[in-house]
Amino acid sequence: MPELPEVETIRGHLAPHVEGRTLEAVEILDSRWCRPLAPAELTAAIEGRVVEKLARRGKYLVWELSDDVYLLMHLRMTGTLLLDPSPPPRHMRVRIDLGDHVLVFDDPRRFGTGELALGPEALDAFFDARLGVEPLERDFTGEHLYSLAQTSRAPIKAFLLDQKRVAGVGNIYADEALFRARVHPLRPANRLNRAQAAAIRDGVVESLMLGLEAKGATIDDFRDPYGVSGSFQDQFLIHLREGEPCVNCSNTVRKLRVAGRGTYVCERCQPRPRPSRRRT
């Protein structure tokens, strides 16, 4: 699934080609993409509007259109936005005509979504209900993360994947961050101390920044709008390295399941937490 670096890579590539241009025609080929709105309702709301800015919030691409209309795109598992693809991709769900460019939303598994917000208040309400702090902004501090973690008994890996807590971090970058912080992914969030929370914060930021520099990670489906893969997968310290020696200590990397996701860990560098004692 595209995470913050992948979505930001897409945004950065697309912005110069779409900002200031008009959505001349929007063709929604799969009604599932915009549920519960009907395709005709969504196209009527956005066609003919100028793209004032292409932004990002968490894993969402935010199309800021004229007259305070917002199109909110989420790529989910396998969605990709391709600019002027030739030939058209097999799994085209949406086609947007920008005059001198054509943008296509390609999605083999059909999980990607397009949603509508009318006005800044509706936009704020949409994100307030779904997303927490942006991890590359000033508010994401070790102390902030520690305070958030005290309210959750979930494993810290599951905590980091919860978009209502930290927006934009997914499976890859959570694994990489926890390895850098030397914290086991099964450690309950509310059993972190301040030093561990600060280390996780730093690990998240470092991993995301490296992902941005590498134009994202391509494991299965991610491509930028030109069809080019990212390269962060070549820098993984722990993710997908099951059975390989740890880059720090040479211990064998294990694969676990946490929050239903494949999770990679070195249990020498990231000691497994001891079971908490039951009170009698």
Side-chain angles (χ1 to χ4, degrees):
M1 175 189 293
E3 304 180 29
L4 186 156
E6 290 75 37
V7 178
E8 181 60 26
T9 295
I10 291 170
R11 188 210 64 77
H13 281 307
L14 281 182
H17 299 290
V18 304
E19 291 179 348
R21 288 175 170 79
T22 300
L23 302 183
E24 295 190 2
V26 179
E27 186 179 8
I28 300 174
L29 305 170
D30 184 352
S31 62
R32 177 173 170 175
W33 186 76
C34 58
R35 289 177 185 169
L37 285 178
E41 292 179 274
L42 183 56
T43 57
I46 65 176
E47 273 187 344
R49 297 191 184 276
V50 175
V51 183
E52 295 182 345
K53 182 179 179 181
L54 184 63
R56 181 196 55 77
R57 178 77 169 89
K59 301 179 187 179
Y60 284 89
L61 279 171
V62 184
W63 295 69
E64 300 183 8
L65 308 178
S66 51
D67 299 321
D68 292 329
V69 172
Y70 303 91
L71 174 62
L72 313 170
M73 286 187 180
H74 201 302
L75 302 175
R76 304 295 173 186
M77 293 293 292
T78 58
T80 305
L81 282 167
L82 299 174
L83 190 68
D84 299 322
S86 182
R90 291 178 55 196
H91 306 288
M92 182 167 60
R93 307 302 179 194
V94 182
R95 184 182 184 277
I96 299 175
D97 187 345
L98 294 156
D100 51 353
H101 290 290
V102 170
L103 185 65
V104 167
F105 193 109
D106 183 58
D107 189 359
R109 297 186 67 181
R110 302 175 63 204
F111 291 153
T113 57
E115 300 183 69
L116 186 67
L118 302 178
E121 291 184 358
L123 180 69
D124 290 343
F126 181 91
F127 286 133
D128 286 347
R130 291 166 175 81
L131 300 180
V133 64
E134 283 280 327
L136 297 182
E137 294 186 353
R138 289 184 179 181
D139 290 343
F140 187 62
T141 63
E143 188 60 29
H144 180 80
L145 183 60
Y146 175 77
S147 296
L148 282 178
Q150 296 312 295
T151 66
S152 174
R153 292 183 291 180
I156 184 59
K157 170 73 180 283
F159 178 90
L160 290 175
L161 296 181
D162 183 351
Q163 298 302 292
K164 292 183 179 180
R165 306 284 190 169
V166 182
V169 176
N171 202 38
I172 293 170
Y173 295 93
D175 278 356
E176 293 292 303
L178 291 172
F179 179 74
R180 285 171 166 80
R182 293 179 175 263
V183 174
H184 197 285
L186 287 173
R187 176 170 290 279
N190 64 355
R191 287 178 57 191
L192 294 175
N193 58 41
R194 281 183 164 83
Q196 289 170 323
I200 293 170
R201 179 268 173 197
D202 291 347
V204 167
V205 172
E206 181 181 357
S207 300
L208 292 174
M209 291 302 295
L210 289 170
L212 284 167
E213 291 173 9
K215 305 298 183 184
T218 297
I219 297 173
D220 295 312
D221 301 286
F222 171 69
R223 293 168 289 163
D224 71 16
Y226 309 115
V228 178
S229 299
S231 63
F232 185 54
Q233 66 277 6
D234 300 330
Q235 303 177 44
F236 287 171
L237 298 181
I238 194 75
H239 191 71
L240 297 183
R241 294 178 61 93
E242 180 185 16
E244 298 180 23
C246 169
V247 297
N248 287 340
C249 71
S250 298
N251 188 50
T252 301
V253 173
R254 293 190 60 198
K255 182 179 180 181
L256 313 174
R257 291 201 72 80
V258 182
R261 307 300 300 277
T263 299
Y264 300 83
V265 60
C266 170
E267 293 194 304
R268 182 178 294 165
C269 292
Q270 301 164 267
R272 183 180 284 261
R274 295 177 182 177
S276 58
R277 295 179 180 177
R278 293 184 178 180
R279 295 181 180 179
T280 58

